[in-house]
PDB file of all heavy atoms in Angstrom:
ATOM      1  N   LEU Z  51     -28.558 -83.624 -43.581  1.00 98.00           N
ATOM      2  CA  LEU Z  51     -27.744 -82.529 -43.037  1.00 98.00           C
ATOM      3  C   LEU Z  51     -26.995 -81.820 -44.156  1.00 98.00           C
ATOM      4  O   LEU Z  51     -26.989 -80.579 -44.224  1.00 98.00           O
ATOM      5  CB  LEU Z  51     -26.757 -83.057 -41.998  1.00 98.00           C
ATOM      6  CG  LEU Z  51     -25.750 -82.042 -41.450  1.00 98.00           C
ATOM      7  CD1 LEU Z  51     -26.455 -80.934 -40.673  1.00 98.00           C
ATOM      8  CD2 LEU Z  51     -24.706 -82.738 -40.572  1.00 98.00           C
ATOM      9  N   THR Z  52     -26.339 -82.573 -45.056  1.00 98.00           N
ATOM     10  CA  THR Z  52     -25.587 -81.944 -46.141  1.00 98.00           C
ATOM     11  C   THR Z  52     -26.526 -81.168 -47.062  1.00 98.00           C
ATOM     12  O   THR Z  52     -26.192 -80.076 -47.523  1.00 98.00           O
ATOM     13  CB  THR Z  52     -24.793 -82.983 -46.941  1.00 98.00           C
ATOM     14  OG1 THR Z  52     -25.672 -83.983 -47.464  1.00 98.00           O
ATOM     15  CG2 THR Z  52     -23.749 -83.664 -46.054  1.00 98.00           C
ATOM     16  N   SER Z  53     -27.709 -81.716 -47.318  1.00 97.00           N
ATOM     17  CA  SER Z  53     -28.680 -81.038 -48.167  1.00 97.00           C
ATOM     18  C   SER Z  53     -29.135 -79.726 -47.538  1.00 97.00           C
ATOM     19  O   SER Z  53     -29.223 -78.681 -48.207  1.00 97.00           O
ATOM     20  CB  SER Z  53     -29.880 -81.957 -48.413  1.00 97.00           C
ATOM     21  OG  SER Z  53     -30.883 -81.292 -49.146  1.00 97.00           O
ATOM     22  N   GLN Z  54     -29.410 -79.762 -46.243  1.00 97.00           N
ATOM     23  CA  GLN Z  54     -29.862 -78.555 -45.541  1.00 97.00           C
ATOM     24  C   GLN Z  54     -28.758 -77.506 -45.489  1.00 97.00           C
ATOM     25  O   GLN Z  54     -29.015 -76.304 -45.655  1.00 97.00           O
ATOM     26  CB  GLN Z  54     -30.313 -78.937 -44.129  1.00 97.00           C
ATOM     27  CG  GLN Z  54     -31.019 -77.813 -43.384  1.00 97.00           C
ATOM     28  CD  GLN Z  54     -31.587 -78.283 -42.052  1.00 97.00           C
ATOM     29  OE1 GLN Z  54     -31.125 -79.263 -41.472  1.00 97.00           O
ATOM     30  NE2 GLN Z  54     -32.597 -77.593 -41.576  1.00 97.00           N
ATOM     31  N   ALA Z  55     -27.516 -77.955 -45.267  1.00 97.00           N
ATOM     32  CA  ALA Z  55     -26.392 -77.022 -45.207  1.00 97.00           C
ATOM     33  C   ALA Z  55     -26.204 -76.306 -46.542  1.00 97.00           C
ATOM     34  O   ALA Z  55     -26.016 -75.079 -46.590  1.00 97.00           O
ATOM     35  CB  ALA Z  55     -25.118 -77.769 -44.820  1.00 97.00           C
ATOM     36  N   LEU Z  56     -26.269 -77.037 -47.639  1.00 97.00           N
ATOM     37  CA  LEU Z  56     -26.122 -76.429 -48.961  1.00 97.00           C
ATOM     38  C   LEU Z  56     -27.254 -75.439 -49.234  1.00 97.00           C
ATOM     39  O   LEU Z  56     -27.034 -74.352 -49.795  1.00 97.00           O
ATOM     40  CB  LEU Z  56     -26.091 -77.515 -50.039  1.00 97.00           C
ATOM     41  CG  LEU Z  56     -24.804 -78.341 -50.112  1.00 97.00           C
ATOM     42  CD1 LEU Z  56     -25.009 -79.575 -50.986  1.00 97.00           C
ATOM     43  CD2 LEU Z  56     -23.644 -77.496 -50.654  1.00 97.00           C
ATOM     44  N   LYS Z  57     -28.461 -75.808 -48.823  1.00 96.00           N
ATOM     45  CA  LYS Z  57     -29.617 -74.938 -49.057  1.00 96.00           C
ATOM     46  C   LYS Z  57     -29.491 -73.637 -48.265  1.00 96.00           C
ATOM     47  O   LYS Z  57     -29.732 -72.539 -48.795  1.00 96.00           O
ATOM     48  CB  LYS Z  57     -30.899 -75.674 -48.669  1.00 96.00           C
ATOM     49  CG  LYS Z  57     -32.168 -74.897 -48.940  1.00 96.00           C
ATOM     50  CD  LYS Z  57     -33.410 -75.723 -48.598  1.00 96.00           C
ATOM     51  CE  LYS Z  57     -34.686 -74.931 -48.865  1.00 96.00           C
ATOM     52  NZ  LYS Z  57     -35.898 -75.732 -48.535  1.00 96.00           N
ATOM     53  N   LEU Z  58     -29.108 -73.731 -46.990  1.00 96.00           N
ATOM     54  CA  LEU Z  58     -28.972 -72.534 -46.158  1.00 96.00           C
ATOM     55  C   LEU Z  58     -27.832 -71.652 -46.649  1.00 96.00           C
ATOM     56  O   LEU Z  58     -27.937 -70.415 -46.644  1.00 96.00           O
ATOM     57  CB  LEU Z  58     -28.759 -72.935 -44.702  1.00 96.00           C
ATOM     58  CG  LEU Z  58     -29.994 -73.433 -43.952  1.00 96.00           C
ATOM     59  CD1 LEU Z  58     -29.604 -74.043 -42.608  1.00 96.00           C
ATOM     60  CD2 LEU Z  58     -30.997 -72.298 -43.741  1.00 96.00           C
ATOM     61  N   ALA Z  59     -26.726 -72.278 -47.063  1.00 96.00           N
ATOM     62  CA  ALA Z  59     -25.590 -71.503 -47.564  1.00 96.00           C
ATOM     63  C   ALA Z  59     -25.994 -70.722 -48.820  1.00 96.00           C
ATOM     64  O   ALA Z  59     -25.644 -69.545 -48.972  1.00 96.00           O
ATOM     65  CB  ALA Z  59     -24.414 -72.428 -47.863  1.00 96.00           C
ATOM     66  N   LYS Z  60     -26.722 -71.373 -49.701  1.00 95.00           N
ATOM     67  CA  LYS Z  60     -27.179 -70.715 -50.921  1.00 95.00           C
ATOM     68  C   LYS Z  60     -28.071 -69.514 -50.585  1.00 95.00           C
ATOM     69  O   LYS Z  60     -27.936 -68.432 -51.164  1.00 95.00           O
ATOM     70  CB  LYS Z  60     -27.931 -71.716 -51.798  1.00 95.00           C
ATOM     71  CG  LYS Z  60     -28.382 -71.165 -53.148  1.00 95.00           C
ATOM     72  CD  LYS Z  60     -29.043 -72.257 -53.972  1.00 95.00           C
ATOM     73  CE  LYS Z  60     -29.541 -71.748 -55.316  1.00 95.00           C
ATOM     74  NZ  LYS Z  60     -28.440 -71.314 -56.200  1.00 95.00           N
ATOM     75  N   THR Z  61     -28.964 -69.709 -49.610  1.00 95.00           N
ATOM     76  CA  THR Z  61     -29.839 -68.615 -49.176  1.00 95.00           C
ATOM     77  C   THR Z  61     -29.021 -67.450 -48.648  1.00 95.00           C
ATOM     78  O   THR Z  61     -29.281 -66.283 -48.962  1.00 95.00           O
ATOM     79  CB  THR Z  61     -30.820 -69.107 -48.091  1.00 95.00           C
ATOM     80  OG1 THR Z  61     -31.629 -70.151 -48.624  1.00 95.00           O
ATOM     81  CG2 THR Z  61     -31.706 -67.973 -47.607  1.00 95.00           C
ATOM     82  N   PHE Z  62     -28.002 -67.763 -47.832  1.00 95.00           N
ATOM     83  CA  PHE Z  62     -27.160 -66.707 -47.269  1.00 95.00           C
ATOM     84  C   PHE Z  62     -26.423 -65.946 -48.370  1.00 95.00           C
ATOM     85  O   PHE Z  62     -26.449 -64.704 -48.411  1.00 95.00           O
ATOM     86  CB  PHE Z  62     -26.146 -67.297 -46.290  1.00 95.00           C
ATOM     87  CG  PHE Z  62     -25.111 -66.306 -45.829  1.00 95.00           C
ATOM     88  CD1 PHE Z  62     -25.458 -65.299 -44.944  1.00 95.00           C
ATOM     89  CD2 PHE Z  62     -23.806 -66.367 -46.297  1.00 95.00           C
ATOM     90  CE1 PHE Z  62     -24.516 -64.352 -44.525  1.00 95.00           C
ATOM     91  CE2 PHE Z  62     -22.861 -65.438 -45.890  1.00 95.00           C
ATOM     92  CZ  PHE Z  62     -23.216 -64.433 -45.003  1.00 95.00           C
ATOM     93  N   PHE Z  63     -25.752 -66.662 -49.265  1.00 95.00           N
ATOM     94  CA  PHE Z  63     -24.937 -65.996 -50.272  1.00 95.00           C
ATOM     95  C   PHE Z  63     -25.765 -65.223 -51.293  1.00 95.00           C
ATOM     96  O   PHE Z  63     -25.247 -64.289 -51.925  1.00 95.00           O
ATOM     97  CB  PHE Z  63     -24.033 -67.014 -50.974  1.00 95.00           C
ATOM     98  CG  PHE Z  63     -22.896 -67.496 -50.117  1.00 95.00           C
ATOM     99  CD1 PHE Z  63     -22.794 -68.831 -49.755  1.00 95.00           C
ATOM    100  CD2 PHE Z  63     -21.934 -66.613 -49.661  1.00 95.00           C
ATOM    101  CE1 PHE Z  63     -21.751 -69.275 -48.957  1.00 95.00           C
ATOM    102  CE2 PHE Z  63     -20.883 -67.039 -48.857  1.00 95.00           C
ATOM    103  CZ  PHE Z  63     -20.794 -68.383 -48.500  1.00 95.00           C
ATOM    104  N   GLU Z  64     -27.022 -65.587 -51.452  1.00 93.00           N
ATOM    105  CA  GLU Z  64     -27.881 -64.856 -52.379  1.00 93.00           C
ATOM    106  C   GLU Z  64     -28.580 -63.682 -51.692  1.00 93.00           C
ATOM    107  O   GLU Z  64     -29.392 -62.993 -52.313  1.00 93.00           O
ATOM    108  CB  GLU Z  64     -28.893 -65.811 -53.009  1.00 93.00           C
ATOM    109  CG  GLU Z  64     -28.224 -66.804 -53.976  1.00 93.00           C
ATOM    110  CD  GLU Z  64     -29.203 -67.762 -54.632  1.00 93.00           C
ATOM    111  OE1 GLU Z  64     -30.361 -67.856 -54.165  1.00 93.00           O
ATOM    112  OE2 GLU Z  64     -28.807 -68.430 -55.605  1.00 93.00           O
TER     113      GLU Z  64
END
Side-chain angles (χ1 to χ4, degrees):
L51 174 64
T52 57
S53 175
Q54 190 174 24
L56 287 167
K57 183 177 180 180
L58 285 169
K60 184 177 179 65
T61 299
F62 171 73
F63 287 117
E64 291 181 346

